[in-house]
Amino acid sequence: MHYAVSHHKLKLILSGAGLKSGDAAGIDQLFGGKDGYYWYGTLRDMCPEGKTLTWDNQYALVAAIQAHEDASAAEDEMPPEKLKPHHIAAICKLLAI
């Protein structure tokens, strides 16, 4: 299965779920529960405006998200968050093409 993310796709995902970008509780649930909003923000941050990122499989997607998180955390001199299985499942379902 292939996966893709863009700012436009994220807006469509939220709209399809009846959510707005500031609805942290709703986005938490949509993106896998507690900390889902954090991973939604990570996806937005890693995607250049006007561009679409694609991956050939779930492993490449998860590796890209975690690599972005690791790099961002290093810049902030903080320990990186780690994707949990429930976040991965939700993200993969939402970004599948």
Side-chain angles (χ1 to χ4, degrees), residues 27-83:
I27 294 171
D28 262 353
Q29 291 309 308
L30 187 62
F31 281 81
K34 183 180 179 211
D35 295 328
Y37 187 81
Y38 181 86
W39 293 109
Y40 162 78
T42 300
L43 289 168
R44 279 190 28 158
D45 290 346
M46 68 187 280
C47 191
E49 186 70 46
K51 303 284 184 188
T52 299
L53 301 177
T54 61
W55 299 272
D56 291 332
N57 57 59
Q58 172 183 338
Y59 303 103
L61 167 65
V62 171
I65 296 168
Q66 193 62 61
H68 180 80
E69 168 59 17
D70 293 349
S72 296
E75 285 178 14
D76 295 339
E77 299 178 357
M78 301 286 294
E81 297 292 324
K82 299 295 181 190
L83 281 161

Side-chain angles (χ1 to χ4, degrees), residues 5-12 44-45 47-51:
V5 68
S6 66
H7 284 245
H8 178 70
K9 184 169 185 169
L10 290 171
K11 288 176 189 174
L12 290 175
R44 279 190 28 158
D45 290 346
C47 191
E49 186 70 46
K51 303 284 184 188

